[in-house]
């Protein structure tokens, strides 16, 4: 595959950008990574994702694909001779997609809320995040069936969907000075998190937690400044 | 004999979407009507995370979330494929389905509580978003091309609900002048028997929406 045939528009702090990168690593597919600069969106991004103007965007032979989990499925279906990312059984696929939607729509938004929450609101959102991790622990036990990953012996769709949030989860723990992923409460997830993060397809594309903390603090500062200016 | 059960609600477009998929595939299923104000223990057992319909139960294994259910149905019963074969076309269909659910529907719902100029602005936002789908139809009979596909099934029942809502709220989200292809496409689908089987009786639907809106208004007073 010529590098020019496959481009990925992304940015290093984005958990969503990690998803197609891990998928392409699993398939051993080479691609050109085009880093978007903060504060401005490239012409290529605006042209290839006019609807959302967001990263990641995969551009394959000139055709753009948007939305990170949709890109992951596209990668799995296009490079079908490589290791499979989605399970082969329709029911297992449905379960993986169900939990992928859950982490995106119900669980992760709470991490954002936590970053600027205070007092009682902070306690409440921490409770919600931890409850979600309890659900995900149950899901992990059921789905992994004693193996290392949600995908079994290999990294799969749900590992990618949930695992991409681990950097921000750890960064949130540092920024808010709270333990969220507790190996006493969710031992399966705690172990999975370490194994996932050090996997060859993941470790080079997982952002460093300290860099995320620095970036996260700058985002919170901007948010607070904007809020103060408007009140 | 494989058993298929669908937990649904007669006025829910998400429930209708799943029913149409099953009917297009010729799948026999047992339909269970849920009273959303008094959810059954069985529903809560099958969908403990969201406690919502629709839930498809196949051989005692539950699947929740309408888009996930649609793909499960397409993969399990492979006659009359709903999603296109080509990976790029599949990605496009999934993209628009997600856009419709996550952007168009929530924005449309905001028109209910809004008034005056604010409501006008939101209606315009809905039009801008629907216009993407208008362009996507672009001279085709259906989003799926020559026959009904995944995106038709996802969009139709909600688009139809917007029209029925208009009878009660007077809010027009799909105008013939601005979205002619979508209007024509709705008319085309309404002529198909199997689609009609999934739509609730018009007067009953209108009465339901009216009652819901009055309850929402009185609870906010």
């Amino acid at each position: 595959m010529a590098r020019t045939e496959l481009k990925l528009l992304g940015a290093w702090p984005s958990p969503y950008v990690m998803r197609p990168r891990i998928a392409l690593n699993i398939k051993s597919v080479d691609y050109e990574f085009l880093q978007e600069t903060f504060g401005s969106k490239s012409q290529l991004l605006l042209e290839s994702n006019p609807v959302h103007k967001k990263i990641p965007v995969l551009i394959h032979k000139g055709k753009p694909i948007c939305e990170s989990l949709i890109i992951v499925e596209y990668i799995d279906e296009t490079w079908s001779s490589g290791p499979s990312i989605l399970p082969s059984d329709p029911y297992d696929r449905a379960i993986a997609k169900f939990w992928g939607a859950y982490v995106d729509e119900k669980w992760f938004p709470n991490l954002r809320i936590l970053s600027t929450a205070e007092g009682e609101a902070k306690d409440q959102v921490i409770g919600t995040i931890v409850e979600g991790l309890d659900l995900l622990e149950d899901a992990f036990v059921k789905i992994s069936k004693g193996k290392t990953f949600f995908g079994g012996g290999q990294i799969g769709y749900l590992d990618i969907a949930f695992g991409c949030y681990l950097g921000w989860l750890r960064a949130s723990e540092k920024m808010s000075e709270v333990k969220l992923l507790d190996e006493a409460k969710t031992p399966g997830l705690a172990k999975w998190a370490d194994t996932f993060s050090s996997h060859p397809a993941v470790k080079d594309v997982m952002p460093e937690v300290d860099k995320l903390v620095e970036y996260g603090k700058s985002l919170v500062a901007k948010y607070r400044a904007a809020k103060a200016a408007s009140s | 004999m494989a058993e298929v059960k669908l937990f649904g609600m007669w006025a829910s477009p998400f429930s209708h979407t799943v029913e149409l998929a099953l009917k297009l595939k010729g799948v026999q299923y047992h339909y269970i009507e849920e009273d959303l104000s008094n959810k059954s223990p069985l529903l809560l057992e099958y969908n403990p995370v969201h406690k919502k319909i629709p839930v498809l139960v196949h051989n005692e294994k539950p699947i929740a979330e309408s888009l996930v259910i649609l793909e499960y149905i397409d993969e399990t019963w492979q006659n009359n494929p709903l999603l296109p074969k080509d990976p790029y076309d599949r990605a496009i269909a999934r993209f628009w389905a997600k856009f419709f659910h996550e952007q168009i529907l929530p924005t449309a719902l905001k028109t209910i509580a809004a008034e005056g100029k604010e409501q006008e602005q939101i209606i315009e936002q809905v039009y801008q978003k629907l216009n993407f789908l208008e362009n996507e139809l672009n001279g085709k009979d259906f989003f799926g091309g020559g026959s009904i596909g995944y995106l038709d099934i996802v969009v139709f029942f909600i688009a139809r609900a917007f029209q029925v809502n208009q009878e009660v709220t007077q809010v027009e989200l799909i105008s013939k002048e601005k979205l002619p292809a979508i209007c024509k496409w709705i008319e085309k689908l309404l002529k198909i028997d199997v689609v009609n089987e999934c739509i609730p009786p018009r007067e009953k639907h209108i009465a339901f929406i009216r009652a819901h809106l009055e309850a929402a208004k009185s609870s906010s007073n």
Side-chain angles (χ1 to χ4, degrees), chain A residues 49 51-52 63-67 70 73-74 77-78 90-91 93-95 97-99 102 105-106 135, chain B residues 47 49-50 61-65 68 71-72 75-76 87-88 90-91 94-96 98-99 102-103 132:
Chain A
N49 191 358
V51 176
H52 299 296
K63 297 203 277 192
I65 303 106
C66 309
E67 298 293 308
I70 292 177
E73 274 205 90
Y74 174 82
E77 290 170 4
T78 302
Y91 185 73
R93 292 159 74 91
I95 294 302
K97 288 179 188 180
F98 172 88
W99 286 108
Y102 171 81
E105 291 163 27
K106 299 279 181 227
L135 279 181
Chain B
N47 190 3
V49 175
H50 301 297
K61 295 203 272 192
I63 304 115
E65 297 294 290
V68 176
E71 296 219 15
Y72 176 82
E75 290 164 12
T76 304
Y88 183 74
R90 290 161 77 86
R94 287 169 175 148
F95 174 87
W96 290 119
K98 188 171 204 271
F99 177 71
E102 290 182 3
Q103 293 282 328
F132 284 115

Side-chain angles (χ1 to χ4, degrees), chain A residues 96-168:
Chain A
K97 288 179 188 180
F98 172 88
W99 286 108
Y102 171 81
V103 293
D104 278 357
E105 291 163 27
K106 299 279 181 227
W107 186 76
F108 182 66
N110 294 302
L111 280 187
R112 283 221 177 96
I113 294 170
L114 175 62
S115 65
T116 52
E118 285 163 358
E120 226 183 276
K122 185 176 172 179
D123 290 335
Q124 210 172 42
V125 74
I126 289 170
T128 307
I129 292 168
V130 169
E131 271 168 28
L133 288 172
D134 284 337
L135 279 181
L136 288 159
E137 172 80 8
D138 279 344
F140 178 73
V141 170
K142 281 199 187 102
I143 296 168
S144 65
K145 300 187 178 80
K147 297 209 173 126
T148 321
F149 300 106
F150 284 96
Q154 300 293 341
I155 286 184
Y157 178 92
L158 186 50
D159 299 282
I160 295 174
F162 181 30
C164 72
Y165 288 129
L166 288 171
W168 279 109

Side-chain angles (χ1 to χ4, degrees), chain B residues 11-14 16 99-112 122-123 125-131 133 154-175 179 182-183 185-186 190 199-200 202 205-206 209 213:
Chain B
S12 160
F14 305 105
H16 304 149
F99 177 71
F100 198 82
H101 272 201
E102 290 182 3
Q103 293 282 328
I104 294 179
L105 179 57
T107 311
L109 288 172
K110 283 189 195 160
T111 59
I112 297 171
I122 300 173
I123 292 171
Q125 281 171 22
V126 175
Y127 162 65
Q128 293 296 338
K129 292 174 200 278
L130 280 171
N131 202 32
L133 285 163
V154 169
V155 172
F156 174 73
F157 296 102
I158 300 176
R160 170 94 179 125
F162 290 170
Q163 283 185 334
V164 177
N165 253 281
Q166 189 181 335
E167 299 269 332
V168 181
T169 62
Q170 318 311 320
V171 169
E172 185 179 49
L173 294 174
I174 303 178
S175 86
L179 300 165
I182 291 180
C183 283
W185 164 81
I186 293 174
L190 284 172
I199 298 172
R202 193 180 176 82
H205 200 181
I206 290 172
I209 293 169
L213 281 175

